[in-house]
Amino acid sequence: MTVGQIASAQAGTLESNDIFIRMTAAPDGKGGSIAVESIVMQQFGDDILQTIKDCLAAAGLDGVDIHANDRGALKCTIVARMEAVAARYKEARR
Amino acid sequence: MLAQGYNHIVTPRERAAAAELLREAGLDMPEGIDTGLGFYEDGRLVGVAFLAGNVICGVCTSSTHQEQGLASSLVGRILTEALGKGFGRVCIFTKPEEAPKFAVMGFHLVAATEAAALLEFGSPDYAAWMRQTRAELAQGENVPLGAVVMNANPFTLGHRGLVEEAVRRCPQVVVFVVEEDASAFPFADRLALVRHGVSGIAGAAVLPAGPYMVSRGSFPAYFSGKAAHAAVHAGLDAEIFAAKVAPDLGIAIRFVGDEPYCPATATYNAVMRRVLPAHGIGFCEMPRRCGGEGIISASKVREILRDERYGQRTEELRQLVPETTLEFLLSDKGRGIAEALRGRSGRH
């Protein structure tokens, strides 16, 4: 899915125990940001952020804006959703 | 028919079943729907949610399926569909008691009244819009700020008179032009006509109204013309203005023209007269300017444009609109809009 000239992708759902992740190209393709909203932000916010960063690095992506809405997903779920959104983003970018 | 699971509401039979489910909950079928999603159980429709533009509405579950996460699930699915369509920001119009359920999904509350609530998801959100509007406004320190919100479909001498009167009472006035593209004149043209029309009035600035003033999210009935819904929607729109927009921008008073014709707008004015002062915001309703026969209104201008030979009625139009608007009406673009207007029914 591309909006205008900007590549974007999403994966996951907003159901309990899942995470919904959107990835869009950062303006100018530089920098990039990660925003996390979670119902367990206080306890696991840092862990979620680190998992997303690791997945980004594994996918070899930078210069993307990520917005994650977490509803208490396990780490394996977050990794799976990140793999899906990264693969979709790479397809959208082509 | 699908026995179990999610399915889009497409056929007349599916729509009828959805309307029936909404009716049982005391709701009407929402207007301007692009997508509808239903959940079936044992072949029976037990939950629905709709998308109109970027607004999720008509969320409803059967009395036998309450508190099972069905509404959240439907909203989540229709939300991801909307985001997939390319909307960066999606809002939901719902009853206030339903708001907490959507807040845990990541929706942020914009404002709520006793009858309705507006929440939003994604970006640009209210805070981003406010930052940008503040930057564009760049007002002087400690100068009282007045506001006018207008659709200007198209800009008339009545609109100009309202702004002139407003700056007479308040040294700085910001004119917000309704951004929703649901009127005969496209937003870009309406904005340009307002900018040209008020140029020369010292102290008046013109800005887009964004999605928080008279938009499909804040005030759906303004565009559908459903008088029965107008009071509820107007209440929410007035609440957003009085509790959020006005304090955040330092607006002390809102000016409006009185409304003898349109019931939805008249209701809006009546609601603002009650809600704005309750939040410490002034409200000033001024009589409409007269021109030609009776008072000036944009609907009169549109009525003339429906006449194929309106080009020969320039003297009549000159009583209603400034030269800048007249010039536009007689341009190729203006002729195109007039032609489209002839095939258009409804208020806008």
Side-chain angles (χ1 to χ4, degrees), chain B residues 31-264:
Chain B
E31 307 245 341
I33 297 162
D34 300 310
T35 308
L37 185 67
F39 182 77
Y40 292 83
E41 194 172 271
D42 300 329
R44 193 168 69 91
L45 185 66
V46 293
V48 287
F50 295 91
L51 187 66
N54 71 329
V55 183
I56 298 171
C57 50
V59 180
C60 173
T61 52
S62 151
S63 55
T64 56
H65 287 71
Q66 301 287 314
E67 308 304 325
Q68 296 172 16
L70 181 55
S72 302
S73 186
L74 281 161
V75 166
R77 277 165 188 260
I78 211 150
L79 169 67
T80 50
E81 227 175 274
L83 296 168
K85 281 183 177 186
F87 291 113
R89 171 183 174 275
V90 176
C91 49
I92 182 163
F93 185 81
T94 185
K95 291 181 180 169
E97 58 269 26
E98 304 286 315
K101 177 189 305 181
F102 303 125
V104 300
M105 296 174 68
F107 280 90
H108 299 280
L109 184 72
V110 178
T113 66
E114 281 174 9
L118 182 73
L119 300 92
E120 62 182 357
F121 185 102
S123 62
D125 62 0
Y126 176 81
W129 174 79
M130 184 46 68
R131 267 197 304 278
Q132 198 195 334
T133 303
R134 270 206 194 117
E136 285 177 30
L137 196 55
Q139 73 201 85
E141 290 287 314
N142 301 323
V143 181
L145 184 63
V148 179
V149 181
M150 56 174 67
N151 196 23
N153 182 37
F155 185 82
T156 66
L157 288 169
H159 293 114
R160 189 179 157 90
L162 178 61
V163 178
E164 281 171 343
E165 196 55 44
V167 293
R168 210 164 285 148
R169 295 169 191 225
C170 192
Q172 252 194 325
V173 171
V174 55
V175 180
F176 288 109
V177 181
V178 171
E179 200 162 346
E180 200 69 60
D181 244 330
S183 299
F185 289 80
F187 168 66
D189 295 324
R190 286 186 285 112
L191 182 68
L193 288 178
V194 177
R195 288 222 157 107
H196 291 144
V198 305
S199 73
I201 303 181
V206 180
L207 287 178
Y212 304 102
M213 287 175 262
V214 195
S215 71
R216 264 161 70 158
S218 66
F219 198 163
Y222 184 80
F223 302 99
S224 72
K226 275 212 170 164
H229 301 162
V232 170
H233 298 174
L236 182 61
D237 192 277
E239 180 71 22
I240 297 170
F241 183 83
K244 304 273 283 190
V245 176
D248 289 348
L249 286 174
I251 292 166
I253 182 166
R254 178 152 165 185
F255 297 94
V256 306
D258 64 354
E259 180 55 64
Y261 290 143
C262 164

Side-chain angles (χ1 to χ4, degrees), chain B residues 154-156 185 193 197 301 321-330:
Chain B
F155 185 82
T156 66
F185 289 80
L193 288 178
V301 177
V321 301
E323 283 299 319
T324 45
T325 300
L326 184 61
E327 222 170 86
F328 178 83
L329 295 179
L330 299 174

Side-chain angles (χ1 to χ4, degrees), chain A residues 11-91:
Chain A
T13 72
L14 288 161
E15 309 272 338
S16 283
N17 307 318
D18 200 350
I19 184 169
F20 178 69
I21 304 173
R22 283 187 295 159
M23 190 182 282
T24 48
D28 317 327
K30 285 186 215 123
S33 65
I34 302 174
V36 177
E37 283 182 62
S38 173
I39 52 170
V40 288
M41 200 65 196
Q42 264 190 313
Q43 302 94 316
F44 298 112
D46 293 342
D47 291 346
I48 297 167
L49 190 62
Q50 192 55 50
T51 304
I52 290 173
K53 280 182 182 163
D54 294 347
C55 290
L56 264 187
L61 282 172
D62 59 2
V64 293
D65 286 335
I66 288 181
H67 200 109
N69 286 79
D70 171 61
R71 299 212 51 203
L74 295 172
K75 186 175 176 181
C76 55
T77 309
I78 300 173
V79 171
R81 295 310 191 192
M82 275 303 294
E83 278 180 17
V85 77
R88 284 177 184 158
Y89 177 80
K90 285 175 182 172
E91 253 180 28

